[in-house]
Amino acid sequence: MTFRVPRIPFLLMATALGLGCGDAGAAQILDATWFPNCDEVTVSCSPTGRGNVANGVAGSEVTGFCDIRDFGDQRLFNFSARANMGGTGTLQIENLRFLSDGFSVVGDDCNVSFVEDGVAYGTGNVSNTSGRCGPAAPSELQPCQVVVDFVEQGESGLPERTLYSGQVADLGPEVRLSVRCIDVGNPGSPNSLRRSLGLALGSERQPALLRGANCTEITP
């Protein structure tokens, strides 16, 4: 089954969905930890040493959203978050498609982009600036690798650092991702501004971790 979904600007999508709106009984929870590492060939790169953490209820504790769309035997997932602890970066996952089994990433429309110190990475449309993602190991054509785990019902035993204080047992669909990017460029300066994405400083081989719980379900 092959299909393409038009890219929707994140600001427009967030406005249409309403940040923090899942079902009527529970708010969205965003939980992400990431660090844009300096690429080995980049000369002018001085990381601050602060990782980015976005953690809490969307719309009140953290800026961002997540949504899921069902397409037969596949699901489409979008995620956007701005750090509210550590750094001040943003991270976005667009058009991630995976099979309904909850584990197999498919398609080639997925893209990872992030902003660090006001500089955007992964927003271009050519190989050395895009953040194209998929299930394979990072490469020049697909610099970001994504592993997905989807559960129909959020777990009640959430990590202690989760700030959600409502009825945890009522959480809806939960998507957990590990994301690893190697050598993603800035569209304006692709040869001098490049970053890899990992969990912490110097750990580009250890993937960043994201989770969206009670994501809005959208019927196409």
Side-chain angles (χ1 to χ4, degrees), residues 16-217:
L17 296 177
L19 294 181
C21 295
D23 59 38
Q28 289 184 9
I29 296 176
L30 305 179
D31 186 10
T33 303
W34 73 97
F35 197 112
N37 287 284
C38 295
D39 185 84
E40 292 183 358
V41 301
T42 302
V43 177
S44 57
C45 181
S46 301
T48 61
R50 294 185 302 164
N52 294 283
V53 176
N55 178 246
V57 177
S60 59
E61 297 174 335
V62 63
T63 299
F65 73 95
C66 61
D67 75 69
I68 298 174
R69 306 183 186 201
D70 285 323
F71 290 90
D73 63 347
Q74 297 184 17
R75 290 186 170 98
L76 175 71
F77 179 69
N78 290 287
F79 180 97
S80 177
R82 181 183 298 276
N84 60 349
M85 288 180 278
T88 58
T90 61
L91 178 63
Q92 296 180 342
I93 312 293
E94 297 179 84
N95 293 325
L96 173 65
R97 289 191 285 126
F98 55 91
L99 296 180
S100 295
D101 62 11
F103 299 98
S104 305
V105 176
V106 295
D108 59 1
D109 287 336
C110 174
N111 195 78
V112 176
S113 60
F114 50 94
V115 177
E116 189 70 11
D117 294 329
V119 180
Y121 301 90
T123 58
N125 57 7
V126 294
S127 60
N128 66 341
T129 60
S130 76
R132 176 173 291 178
C133 53
S139 65
E140 183 177 355
L141 294 179
Q142 182 219 285
C144 297
Q145 180 182 30
V146 178
V147 177
V148 63
D149 181 14
F150 175 80
V151 293
E152 293 282 356
Q153 183 69 23
E155 296 180 357
S156 58
L158 296 175
E160 292 182 0
R161 66 191 183 90
T162 296
L163 304 180
Y164 185 64
S165 57
Q167 298 179 3
V168 176
D170 291 338
L171 291 180
E174 182 174 323
V175 180
R176 305 163 187 168
L177 302 178
S178 60
V179 181
R180 176 185 167 217
C181 297
I182 300 296
D183 199 25
V184 178
N186 166 265
S189 303
N191 295 321
S192 60
L193 290 175
R194 311 190 66 77
R195 296 291 185 275
S196 296
L197 189 72
L199 185 64
L201 178 62
S203 65
E204 63 275 1
R205 294 189 180 277
Q206 186 175 5
L209 301 176
L210 294 78
R211 186 183 66 177
N214 196 44
C215 298
T216 304
E217 292 185 271

